[in-house]
Amino acid sequence: MLKLMQVLWPSFLVAAGAEALFFTVIDPQTLYLFGEPVDYSATATYSIGFFGFWLVGAASSLLTLFFQRSAAQINAPH
């Protein structure tokens, strides 16, 4: 459970900040995806954006935990 929180909590905070910065500059009603305008409501666009940023932040935190393992942990017999 501790490892899960070490990944999810920092990535949540990064996602909140990234979304605030991104949507301060970008209007959700003017976004285009693959050349087509996004037809979702502003709330849906904010939500999708937040979860996208959270996923990227979680991947970053997970890689940090992965690379912090010691040689003994990596080479331990299973």
Side-chain angles (χ1 to χ4, degrees):
M1 185 67 164
L2 177 64
K3 297 267 188 214
L4 185 65
M5 291 311 299
Q6 288 175 337
V7 169
L8 293 180
W9 181 241
S11 60
F12 176 84
L13 295 176
V14 167
E19 181 177 20
L21 287 173
F22 183 81
F23 286 115
T24 297
V25 177
I26 305 293
D27 180 18
Q29 298 302 316
T30 62
L31 287 176
Y32 281 79
L33 184 63
F34 302 116
E36 298 293 323
V38 176
D39 292 329
Y40 300 124
S41 69
T43 303
T45 305
Y46 291 137
S47 300
I48 292 167
F50 175 78
F51 285 115
F53 287 128
W54 198 1
L55 182 64
V56 170
S60 173
S61 295
L62 191 60
L63 279 173
T64 299
L65 281 180
F66 177 76
F67 287 125
Q68 281 185 332
R69 297 181 307 162
S70 68
Q73 290 173 322
I74 294 171
N75 296 320
H78 295 282

